[in-house]
């Protein structure tokens, strides 16, 4: 397994729309394992393939306290949204930035495939619901800060540029 490079906002590759997965062979299995290792090392609770410059409909998630309940979502789609969510979210592609996104549902039903191509349906709420919606946005080429006001986006860009200068 390997730690993958995570793309950072405003990298244009984060806006690439992911394509459906059709091959469940060894390359996909390695990518899933590498994404899981990368997510845990970051540390994060979710990671979309788009964030590691692999533009396929795949994301991994683990919202457990122990970080021992890896979930794999391939070709996911939300079939039901319910309620409103007020949780703050962050993103491995936008390090150090946290904010609430107003258009998140409290609970979702998602249909997807596991790492072997077996279909499943999952009802999720709370942090897992938020994570699923956030990672699905990545697969559609959208980053959570793009839901925020123009003023907040400008402040985030200024902060990210300042942080990059400090790290050089």
């Amino acid at each position: 397994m390997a730690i993958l490079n995570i793309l950072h906002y405003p990298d244009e590759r984060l806006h690439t729309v992911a394509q459906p997965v059709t091959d469940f062979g060894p390359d996909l299995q390695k990518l899933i394992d590498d994404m899981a290792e990368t997510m845990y090392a970051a540390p994060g609770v979710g990671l979309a393939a788009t964030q590691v410059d692999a533009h396929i409909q795949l994301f991994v998630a683990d919202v457990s306290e122990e970080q021992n309940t890896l979930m794999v979502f391939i070709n996911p789609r939300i079939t039901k949204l319910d309620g409103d969510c007020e949780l703050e979210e962050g993103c491995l592609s936008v390090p150090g930035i946290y904010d609430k996104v107003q258009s998140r549902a409290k609970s979702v039903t998602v249909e997807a495939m596991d790492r072997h191509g077996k279909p499943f349906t999952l009802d999720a709420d709370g942090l897992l619901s938020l994570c699923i919606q956030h990672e699905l946005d990545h697969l559609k080429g959208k980053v959570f800060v793009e839901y925020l006001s123009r003023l907040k986006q400008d402040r985030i860009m200024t902060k990210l540029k300042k942080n990059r200068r400090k790290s050089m």
Side-chain angles (χ1 to χ4, degrees):
M1 293 197 303
I3 302 289
L4 303 171
N5 180 47
I6 298 173
L7 301 177
H8 288 150
Y9 182 79
D11 192 308
E12 281 302 314
R13 294 172 288 180
L14 290 169
H15 295 106
T16 304
V17 176
Q19 299 303 307
V21 172
T22 56
D23 182 354
F24 289 80
D27 289 344
L28 179 69
Q29 301 308 313
K30 180 177 181 346
L31 178 60
I32 291 167
D33 292 340
D34 290 348
M35 285 177 59
E37 184 175 0
T38 302
M39 177 188 70
Y40 288 130
V45 297
L47 184 67
T50 301
Q51 293 176 271
V52 294
D53 205 19
H55 302 285
I56 59 172
Q57 293 178 12
L58 159 68
F59 70 85
V60 295
D62 186 345
V63 299
S64 68
E65 289 288 326
E66 303 80 19
Q67 294 259 282
N68 64 358
T69 312
L70 180 68
M71 302 176 78
V72 176
F73 297 81
I74 298 173
N75 300 336
R77 67 182 191 93
I78 292 175
T79 58
K80 182 179 176 191
L81 299 160
D82 192 40
D84 294 318
C85 184
E86 289 294 323
L87 294 175
E88 191 171 67
E89 61 188 275
C91 182
L92 296 176
S93 290
V94 193
I97 304 297
Y98 302 91
D99 211 324
K100 292 179 182 175
V101 173
Q102 299 301 319
S103 61
R104 300 289 191 211
K106 181 178 180 181
S107 64
V108 297
T109 300
V110 62
E111 292 179 356
M113 289 183 255
D114 68 12
R115 69 182 304 148
H116 305 291
K118 180 181 176 194
F120 68 90
T121 300
L122 175 73
D123 293 319
D125 60 11
L127 182 57
L128 182 56
S129 171
L130 178 72
C131 182
I132 289 168
Q133 293 170 80
H134 178 106
E135 301 309 330
L136 263 168
D137 275 350
H138 278 299
L139 301 182
K140 295 173 185 172
K142 190 153 187 169
V143 181
F144 91 98
V145 296
E146 295 164 355
Y147 285 103
L148 306 176
S149 71
R150 181 37 103 196
L151 177 63
K152 284 187 177 184
Q153 288 180 45
D154 290 344
R155 287 181 179 161
I156 288 167
M157 287 302 295
T158 301
K159 183 175 181 177
L160 292 174
K161 287 177 186 174
K162 183 178 176 181
N163 290 347
R164 277 200 246 343
R165 281 194 300 269
K166 283 182 182 178
S167 66
M168 292 184 167

